[in-house]
Amino acid sequence: MDPVIVHIRQDLKAQADPQIQKTTRRFFKDEILCYGLKTATVMAIAKKYWKEVKDRDKQEIFALCEELYRSGYIEESFVVSNWARALSDRYERKDLAVFRRWIDTYITNWASCDGFCNHTIGEFIEQYPEYTAELKRWAQSRNRWMRRAAAVSLIVPAKHGRFLSEAMEIADLLLTDTDDMVQKGYGWLLKEASRQHEAEVFAYVVRNRNVMPRTALRYAIELMPKDLKAEAMKKEPAGIKK
């Protein structure tokens, strides 16, 4: 095992706090593995060891990331997210296959999914926008985290007004998904898109409120004025199935 991995794990164990571990587990419906550190502490450790590995070949860094992922610990997944984002000026189109495999194989909770996809996949898509088509394929995966990834990968670009049509196409694909993690993911995407495109997102929600799960709908309209929220949440006429 690479000494850097050994040292990272030593630092994580040394700074672990049983109370933080207990608190962290409450945030997740499913059981997770965690040492028990605040996110800021994990990021400090990630940055500390990034200085040691940043000059290595990218494929070697990817191998280190995969070794961290294999542990299953959420904090180690956060180190991966930090390092993968730090590599953004070295992304190549072929890297998406690696990123896709990581999500499909190692991501098992919303925090690891969002931490990786918001920035790494989001930045990749900014550089190679033609790969939004790949996100639409993810939206049809059997893996709930791939489906959530399809949405949350566009969170940052959507916040700045980009990829509106693609965001709505992904929302269409996920519209009636029964998984609450997926519903929250695409609802969040629509919410961020509404910052710059409120009218379009409002129209989308009203058009689809008949079938859109309430969880997704509430996320989507969270930033809107009270009058629009009230309109979006109105009950449909009698006889229309929710």
Side-chain angles (χ1 to χ4, degrees), residues 200-224:
E200 293 92 331
V201 174
F202 176 72
Y204 181 89
V205 170
V206 170
R207 185 168 67 249
N208 291 289
R209 63 185 171 186
N210 226 28
V211 293
M212 181 183 285
R214 278 315 197 225
T215 296
L217 192 153
R218 290 190 182 97
Y219 267 73
I221 64 175
E222 188 175 330
L223 300 177
M224 294 183 185

Side-chain angles (χ1 to χ4, degrees), residues 16-36:
D17 183 325
Q19 187 55 48
I20 295 175
Q21 183 186 64
K22 185 177 179 181
T23 302
T24 299
R25 285 175 173 162
R26 291 194 192 123
F27 284 104
F28 301 89
K29 288 184 178 180
D30 301 317
E31 187 174 340
I32 63 161
L33 281 174
C34 65
Y35 293 100

Side-chain angles (χ1 to χ4, degrees), residues 55-70:
D55 294 325
R56 296 193 191 187
D57 179 79
K58 185 175 65 175
Q59 296 307 315
E60 188 177 347
I61 297 173
F62 280 176
L64 294 174
C65 288
E66 191 141 1
E67 181 67 30
L68 290 166
Y69 264 141
R70 285 196 194 101

Side-chain angles (χ1 to χ4, degrees), residues 61-209:
I61 297 173
F62 280 176
L64 294 174
C65 288
E66 191 141 1
E67 181 67 30
L68 290 166
Y69 264 141
R70 285 196 194 101
S71 76
Y73 278 86
I74 194 168
E75 292 92 348
E76 295 192 34
S77 81
F78 292 168
V79 175
V80 174
S81 296
N82 182 273
W83 286 7
R85 183 183 186 184
L87 284 167
S88 62
D89 61 346
R90 295 158 67 179
Y91 290 166
E92 302 170 86
R93 286 177 171 81
K94 64 182 180 180
D95 294 337
L96 188 59
V98 175
F99 299 154
R100 178 180 61 239
R101 181 169 55 79
W102 288 354
I103 298 167
D104 202 25
T105 306
Y106 301 115
I107 298 292
T108 58
N109 62 79
W110 61 262
S112 296
C113 182
D114 298 355
F116 182 70
C117 294
N118 285 177
H119 300 291
T120 295
I121 305 299
E123 176 59 33
F124 180 93
I125 294 296
E126 292 268 31
Q127 292 183 32
Y128 303 108
E130 66 270 23
Y131 284 97
T132 54
E134 175 76 4
L135 300 185
K136 294 168 194 173
R137 284 190 284 274
W138 295 3
Q140 300 170 72
S141 171
R142 293 183 179 180
N143 184 334
R144 69 193 301 205
W145 303 115
M146 291 297 296
R147 301 200 306 278
R148 183 178 173 102
V152 301
S153 292
L154 290 182
I155 290 291
V156 176
K159 182 177 181 178
H160 298 290
R162 296 188 284 276
F163 297 111
L164 177 64
S165 62
E166 290 84 357
M168 289 186 172
E169 287 170 16
I170 288 170
D172 279 343
L173 290 167
L174 301 173
L175 191 61
T176 58
D177 201 296
T178 58
D179 191 302
D180 69 326
M181 288 290 101
V182 179
Q183 294 170 11
K184 290 174 182 178
Y186 88 78
W188 181 21
L189 174 59
L190 291 172
K191 178 180 78 171
E192 294 304 329
S194 78
R195 293 179 186 274
Q196 302 290 333
H197 299 285
E198 183 180 89
E200 293 92 331
V201 174
F202 176 72
Y204 181 89
V205 170
V206 170
R207 185 168 67 249
N208 291 289
R209 63 185 171 186

Side-chain angles (χ1 to χ4, degrees), residues 7-19:
H7 294 152
I8 288 172
R9 289 176 177 162
Q10 287 174 343
D11 281 9
L12 290 170
K13 290 174 183 176
Q15 299 185 58
D17 183 325
Q19 187 55 48

